[in-house]
Amino acid sequence: MGLESGNNKTAAGAGNPDLRPPSPPPPPPEFSLRHRYLQLFRQIPKMVLIIGAMGAISCMLVLYHSSTTFPFSGDYNSLTAGKLLADSDINLDELKIILKNAAMSNNTVIITTLNDAWAEPNSMFDLLLESFRIGDQTKRFLKHLVVVTLDQKAYARCLKLHPHCYNLSTNGTDFSEEAYFMAPDYLKMMWRRIDFLRKVLDLGYSFVFTDADIMWFRDPFSKFDKEADFQIACDSFNGDPSDLKNLPNGGFNYVKSNNKTIQFYKFWYNSRLNYPGLHDQDVFNKIKFKPFISNIGLRIRFLDTGYFGGFCQPSKDLNKVCTMHANCCVGLENKVNDLEIMLGDWRKYKELRANQTIDGFAGSWTVPQLCRGSFHRPRVAKQKDDQGTKS
Ligand SMILES: *[C@@H]1O[C@H](CO)[C@@H](O)[C@H](O)[C@H]1NC(C)=O
Ligand SMILES: *[C@@H]1O[C@H](CO)[C@@H](O)[C@H](O)[C@H]1NC(C)=O
Ligand SMILES: *[C@@H]1O[C@H](CO)[C@@H](O)[C@H](O)[C@H]1NC(C)=O
Ligand SMILES: *[C@@H]1O[C@H](CO)[C@@H](O)[C@H](O)[C@H]1NC(C)=O
Ligand SMILES: *[C@@H]1O[C@H](CO)[C@@H](O)[C@H](O)[C@H]1NC(C)=O
């Protein structure tokens, strides 16, 4: 998801969390849980990557975790427990100004996150901006896009290219490239994002959060459920937008600012304490069935991959696609390669469509290519819906 932007140029496994090879086999129910581990995984040096098997990685993470002191504090169940993100850590005045400048008239912003590697020239950030420019009437959304940067280099590059950049670097924790090799810091950063988004809701702004490796081709707003509070994209969509058993991908979501979503984000953030070592998305998969959610009346909807697709489950019809995510892909270079090709497919589609006299021209993707090979679904135990057991 967002901070999956965490990446590094050298390690073989730079890439996305999203598992599962894009095409032939039907989507297995287990991959989404693993998701974030892969993501983490790509940050860990090659020698660790060699170990390969997901089971081994999980074990390692457990070991890693148990030998690490997280800055947890206080009551595990209280909604105010265990702040990772001190208010002093956030430059609130600056955030307010940036949100105000970027917001649409209905107080909605689009938010993405960037780190050093993804912000480099000819990498993910450039592709993201390009997709907004060549999508169908998506250019107008650029002025509503807030880029949250996680280190100084990303911040500097953002300022060069974009009007709304927010520096979410921290004093204590180094979220720049090398820091990603450290699993605990990486987790902290993932959670920091959730807490940051809660803050945005708190300030009265609704948002579309979009990972930087998600290309925008059409206005997504018309496809959102008007009644829902929290809407999230899927690695694998089962056809029923309200079925909690869908396999979400936290890289893209639309969240309305209201009391329910603010409470939900606090609950989500604090639930990390009950599932130490898990990423936000894994924890989401555990808490989505909890009575707390129905008690507060939060309406969750899962977005159709027909509109919000990815390499896991591509949006097949280019006449319909809103966004495409380089999920089910490991490695920054693989992602960049395939997303460049994807933008080429889109340009060609637009050209053909413009020349086409007959209706119903659909076009097609020629990706994934390198991503397909980058991605090997680990053999793991089935996800047990609400239960925390993994592998
Ligand atoms: C960050 O550093 C500044 C200046 O040194 C300090 O005032 C602030 O409290 C620090 N924030 C955190 C969360 O440590
Ligand atoms: C970004 O924020 C961090 C932490 O508050 C701070 O140390 C750094 O100087 C800031 N960078 C810029 C360019 O403002
Ligand atoms: C907010 O405004 C944007 C831009 O006009 C529009 O596309 C979107 O549908 C609006 N959202 C809601 C919830 O009304
Ligand atoms: C939350 O609810 C209170 C009253 O119950 C209301 O005054 C407030 O405006 C609500 N906040 C949001 C963000 O909807
Ligand atoms: C579309 O038409 C333009 C001008 O008529 C032409 O230059 C271009 O090659 C055509 N593109 C395709 C893909 O047929």
Side-chain angles (χ1 to χ4, degrees):
M1 142 151 185
L3 299 202
E4 84 194 27
S5 327
N7 228 315
N8 82 74
K9 291 157 286 196
T10 49
N16 201 305
D18 324 280
L19 316 167
R20 203 186 94 84
S23 59
E30 65 268 33
F31 66 83
S32 121
L33 190 67
R34 308 277 131 210
H35 223 105
R36 300 293 148 175
Y37 282 90
L38 255 208
Q39 190 170 354
L40 232 175
F41 180 28
R42 78 186 167 200
Q43 313 295 354
I44 300 175
K46 263 186 185 147
M47 52 169 283
V48 174
L49 289 176
I50 292 167
I51 297 171
M54 210 57 198
I57 295 294
S58 296
C59 288
M60 281 185 47
L61 287 172
V62 169
L63 289 176
Y64 208 130
H65 181 74
S66 59
S67 64
T68 309
T69 316
F70 277 71
F72 293 155
S73 66
D75 174 8
Y76 273 37
N77 296 311
S78 154
L79 284 184
T80 54
K83 282 238 177 298
L84 277 184
L85 187 54
D87 276 349
S88 61
D89 241 3
I90 279 203
N91 186 339
L92 205 53
D93 292 336
E94 197 194 344
L95 181 59
K96 282 180 185 164
I97 292 169
I98 289 175
L99 290 173
K100 190 163 183 281
N101 289 338
M104 303 169 194
S105 56
N106 50 26
N107 279 353
T108 305
V109 290
I110 299 163
I111 299 178
T112 192
T113 52
L114 267 191
N115 75 345
D116 168 9
W118 285 38
E120 279 192 357
N122 303 314
S123 190
M124 211 62 87
F125 187 37
D126 287 352
L127 292 172
L128 176 71
L129 296 178
E130 177 68 3
S131 84
F132 275 99
R133 289 184 201 112
I134 67 175
D136 278 355
Q137 294 171 39
T138 47
K139 200 172 168 188
R140 65 199 158 108
F141 292 123
L142 277 173
K143 59 180 179 293
H144 305 298
L145 173 68
V146 174
V147 178
V148 175
T149 60
L150 305 170
D151 54 61
Q152 299 297 313
K153 270 163 111 179
Y155 185 59
R157 179 103 208 288
C158 180
L159 288 175
K160 273 191 206 154
L161 301 184
H162 191 70
H164 313 297
C165 307
Y166 181 73
N167 166 27
L168 188 67
S169 314
T170 41
N171 286 349
T173 310
D174 180 5
F175 292 141
S176 65
E177 223 175 305
E178 300 87 280
Y180 284 49
F181 291 97
M182 305 294 292
D185 274 357
Y186 186 67
L187 273 178
K188 270 193 223 171
M189 184 188 60
M190 299 299 291
W191 284 110
R192 185 173 165 76
R193 188 177 51 81
I194 296 298
D195 202 29
F196 174 80
L197 293 173
R198 190 264 311 157
K199 191 83 210 165
V200 172
L201 295 173
D202 237 352
L203 291 171
Y205 293 92
S206 304
F207 61 79
V208 176
F209 178 83
T210 182
D211 273 355
D213 61 345
I214 295 179
M215 301 294 109
W216 282 50
F217 295 117
R218 282 193 183 81
D219 177 358
F221 288 96
S222 61
K223 301 293 177 259
F224 293 146
D225 182 328
K226 303 258 176 310
E227 305 302 318
D229 300 301
F230 178 89
Q231 309 187 49
I232 186 164
C234 294
D235 284 334
S236 165
F237 178 68
N238 69 13
D240 178 357
S242 53
D243 184 355
L244 291 171
K245 292 198 289 296
N246 278 297
L247 296 173
N249 183 303
F252 188 91
N253 42 59
Y254 170 52
V255 188
K256 282 185 198 155
S257 170
N258 61 36
N259 282 334
K260 290 181 280 181
T261 55
I262 292 167
Q263 270 186 288
F264 169 67
Y265 266 75
K266 285 181 185 167
F267 177 67
W268 188 3
Y269 182 64
N270 288 304
S271 293
R272 80 192 185 284
L273 302 170
N274 298 326
Y275 304 99
L278 292 198
H279 283 287
D280 53 321
Q281 179 172 288
D282 298 329
V283 171
F284 176 80
N285 270 321
K286 298 186 188 308
I287 65 172
K288 66 189 179 184
F289 298 103
K290 297 271 189 217
F292 178 88
I293 299 202
S294 39
N295 288 346
I296 63 170
L298 182 84
R299 276 166 303 196
I300 299 178
R301 290 291 176 272
F302 297 87
L303 297 167
D304 187 341
T305 48
Y307 298 106
F308 303 94
F311 292 153
C312 298
Q313 202 172 73
S315 171
K316 291 191 187 68
D317 188 346
L318 273 71
N319 290 307
K320 284 166 60 176
V321 64
C322 292
T323 61
M324 275 285 283
H325 190 177
N327 55 9
C328 287
C329 183
V330 178
L332 175 57
E333 281 171 22
N334 294 330
K335 285 184 181 228
V336 166
N337 179 79
D338 283 13
L339 289 177
E340 267 169 7
I341 296 169
M342 185 196 282
L343 293 183
D345 289 343
W346 175 260
R347 281 192 199 90
K348 194 167 155 211
Y349 156 78
K350 287 212 324 183
E351 209 180 284
L352 285 169
R353 187 183 60 183
N355 289 4
Q356 199 79 14
T357 48
I358 50 164
D359 287 335
F361 171 69
S364 62
W365 303 118
T366 63
V367 282
Q369 294 183 12
L370 295 185
C371 281
R372 190 191 303 270
S374 78
F375 188 78
H376 301 286
R377 182 158 56 91
R379 298 176 56 82
V380 291
K382 279 211 163 46
Q383 174 181 354
K384 294 202 189 107
D385 292 338
D386 194 23
Q387 284 305 311
T389 53
K390 43 164 207 305
S391 68

